[in-house]
Amino acid sequence: MIGTVCLFCYLCQKSAKDTMNRRLFQSFCMTMLAISALGLMPTACTKTRNATQTASTKPSKPLPEPRKPTKTYKNLRLIGDTTCAGWRVILASADGPTKVKGENYYDKLFLITLYKDGQLLFDKKEISTEKLHGKPRSELQLTPGYIELITRTTVYIDVATFYPETDDGWLFSLLFDKNGRLSVRPFIIEMSEADNVASFYRAWLNECRQKPIDKASLEMVANRYCTPSFAKQLLREAPLSLLPAKVVGKYRFDVDVMAELTHNSEDYLEQRGTVYFCTKDYEQQIDSLAYELRNEQDENGYTSFGGITGFKKFHP
């Protein structure tokens, strides 16, 4: 596992973007993309039409076939076709109109087609480097993304932009609601299992903002990131009880989350660390809490994320 760097350092930076330039790794995103393309992402979703859910949901309408392309794309490539909780998500990539500065190839477009309960919300919505950064950035290249999670209310997709042939870049979370509205959030990763804890809280906060809160979606988040026993425990409690007191008053606003790993057992199966809740773009820390998680080990000795097993609030 790549070594840990204390996340307190992030809070001392003038710009979260400068921080992310030093912290994000292109190999991580390419690995996640490859896993997603193979249909191995650990979600409650499937690449077939016969999706099964960990949360009980009403049967959705039959999902229609994608529309025929109305625009011609160069080097169009299908990444994945996933159904889950009434959603159908089709991810693809194609060459964009801009050449990457200093290179002999074009930057990529990330194309997202989204259905909800049989209704087409949009067809091949274009995500580009320029749209993510709000201005042209020809020195960067986009890495087409992968599905992190799908619930009944939201599709969570991660995507990244990088300087070519480097590990320097930005990671973004794309959140699509059931009306097709998009929210784009940059976030920080640590390249450890702590990132799963941060992803859990980003999703949990988003689900708590829904009006009304969809309990089945909370269940899907808990089942995705927590051990079965801890997921059941969480779902018996009030959703906001998982948040530190200072965050409860701010959860409806922009709250960014990051996590660090501070302790490993000798066999790396038990880990502990801290989750940090910050204002927008990680400018200021609001509060924090401790977490514990468990990893699983296969017959070859490789470990993988097994689930969050507990949280503990800090008291002054």
Side-chain angles (χ1 to χ4, degrees), residues 177-190:
D177 70 15
K178 57 188 176 182
N179 295 311
R181 289 187 295 257
L182 169 62
S183 174
V184 181
R185 301 296 304 165
F187 66 94
I188 294 172
I189 61 173
E190 192 193 52

Side-chain angles (χ1 to χ4, degrees), residues 144-311:
Y146 60 90
I147 296 172
E148 169 64 21
L149 175 69
I150 297 179
T151 67
R152 297 206 313 177
T153 71
T154 309
V155 174
Y156 302 78
I157 298 175
D158 291 349
V159 64
T161 59
F162 288 94
Y163 292 101
E165 307 302 327
T166 75
D167 294 331
D168 296 336
W170 289 261
L171 198 60
F172 300 88
S173 183
L174 312 179
L175 278 64
F176 294 96
D177 70 15
K178 57 188 176 182
N179 295 311
R181 289 187 295 257
L182 169 62
S183 174
V184 181
R185 301 296 304 165
F187 66 94
I188 294 172
I189 61 173
E190 192 193 52
M191 293 297 291
S192 76
E193 302 302 350
D195 296 326
N196 289 295
V197 183
S199 293
F200 165 81
Y201 262 110
R202 279 192 292 269
W204 194 266
L205 282 164
N206 177 68
E207 298 300 338
C208 286
R209 296 186 188 107
Q210 307 302 312
K211 294 182 179 180
I213 294 176
D214 185 81
K215 293 183 178 180
S217 292
L218 289 177
E219 183 179 350
M220 297 173 82
V221 174
N223 289 337
R224 165 67 174 84
Y225 296 105
C226 302
T227 60
S229 59
F230 188 54
K232 290 180 181 178
Q233 178 183 332
L234 292 185
L235 296 169
R236 288 195 296 265
E237 301 176 4
L240 295 182
S241 68
L242 296 186
L243 304 177
K246 294 179 182 178
V247 178
V248 172
K250 299 180 181 292
Y251 79 98
R252 290 200 175 276
F253 303 97
D254 288 326
V255 177
D256 283 327
V257 185
M258 55 189 179
E260 69 171 335
L261 176 65
T262 59
H263 173 78
N264 261 315
S265 62
E266 290 186 4
D267 57 7
Y268 287 87
L269 296 183
E270 305 292 333
Q271 296 181 334
R272 298 195 301 269
T274 306
V275 188
Y276 300 96
F277 300 86
C278 305
T279 56
K280 186 178 180 180
D281 294 331
Y282 304 94
E283 293 177 352
Q284 183 178 358
Q285 182 179 324
I286 301 171
D287 209 336
S288 61
L289 53 76
Y291 72 84
E292 297 179 350
L293 64 83
R294 186 176 68 210
N295 290 323
E296 297 174 345
Q297 190 173 61
D298 65 18
E299 58 185 9
N300 297 316
Y302 293 105
T303 60
S304 61
F305 178 65
I308 301 166
T309 58
F311 292 110

Side-chain angles (χ1 to χ4, degrees), residues 24-45:
L24 299 178
F25 297 88
Q26 190 170 15
S27 59
F28 170 80
C29 293
M30 293 303 294
T31 300
M32 291 295 100
L33 176 60
I35 293 173
S36 177
L38 291 171
L40 299 178
M41 289 300 296
T43 65
C45 307

